[in-house]
Amino acid sequence: ILGGDSVMEVLATELHPKRAVFLTDVLGVFTQPPSNPTAQLLLEISAESASNWTVVQALPPQNLQEPSDEAARDGMEGCDHPTLDMQSVRVTFDSAAHDVTGGAEEKLRAANRIAADTGIPVYIAQAGTSHALAAMDGTVESMLKSKQNVDWRGTWVHN
């Protein structure tokens, strides 16, 4: 069985798009299953290979909620949120028994391979959200690369 993550890898390698976007049913890649109240959202990952990667920035669980209406009116810029000490971030995966394509772990491996092998930035975001739209249309890309404070609720994987 071939999953969509593997298909994305082949397409990215062959077509060389500006960005690759994985849409999921959760905000992005978490340190634990997102149903766990202590799960942290991985905001930024630097990939050297599929299995050799570093968490650059993660968001504490208490900061996962959407920004206030005032922050949303101001756009995606200017949201300052606390991040974690990256030395303390540990990631564990728990795939459902019926998921034969590898779940979140395989999605992250595919994203890491794309970023490390092709230099194409990869975004993992929740389908149907403004974060997914910003990833797909590229508006979040320049803000993330310039390290501006961004209300990004997703995972950015780069080399």
Side-chain angles (χ1 to χ4, degrees):
I1 295 175
L2 187 64
D5 305 335
S6 299
V7 171
M8 177 71 90
E9 261 189 270
V10 172
L11 291 174
T13 301
E14 296 297 319
L15 300 176
H16 306 286
K18 290 181 182 178
R19 71 194 65 82
V21 180
F22 288 89
L23 298 178
T24 69
D25 61 348
V26 295
L27 290 173
V29 178
F30 286 82
T31 55
Q32 305 170 47
S35 58
N36 186 323
T38 61
Q40 303 159 2
L41 176 63
L42 304 183
L43 295 172
E44 183 180 353
I45 295 171
S46 177
E48 293 181 30
S49 69
S51 58
N52 187 9
W53 49 274
T54 304
V55 175
V56 178
Q57 190 176 22
L59 193 63
Q62 66 270 23
N63 292 92
L64 290 177
Q65 69 277 0
E66 290 293 324
S68 67
D69 289 341
E70 182 178 307
R73 279 193 302 274
D74 293 338
M76 295 186 75
E77 294 183 64
C79 276
D80 189 17
H81 45 72
T83 54
L84 303 165
D85 170 19
M86 293 306 99
Q87 299 300 321
S88 66
V89 173
R90 299 287 176 259
V91 179
T92 59
F93 295 101
D94 182 25
S95 293
H98 66 276
D99 187 352
V100 296
T101 61
E105 184 172 10
E106 183 52 35
K107 185 175 304 305
L108 181 57
R109 286 183 188 277
N112 288 342
R113 279 190 292 266
I114 292 168
D117 295 348
T118 68
I120 297 168
V122 179
Y123 302 92
I124 303 170
Q126 186 173 22
T129 65
S130 61
H131 311 293
L133 180 60
M136 290 186 292
D137 71 13
T139 57
V140 77
E141 195 164 340
S142 62
M143 286 185 260
L144 288 171
K145 286 183 178 179
S146 68
K147 302 289 185 190
Q148 295 177 15
N149 289 330
V150 177
D151 173 36
W152 172 241
R153 299 293 189 273
T155 303
W156 171 35
V157 183
H158 58 83
N159 65 353

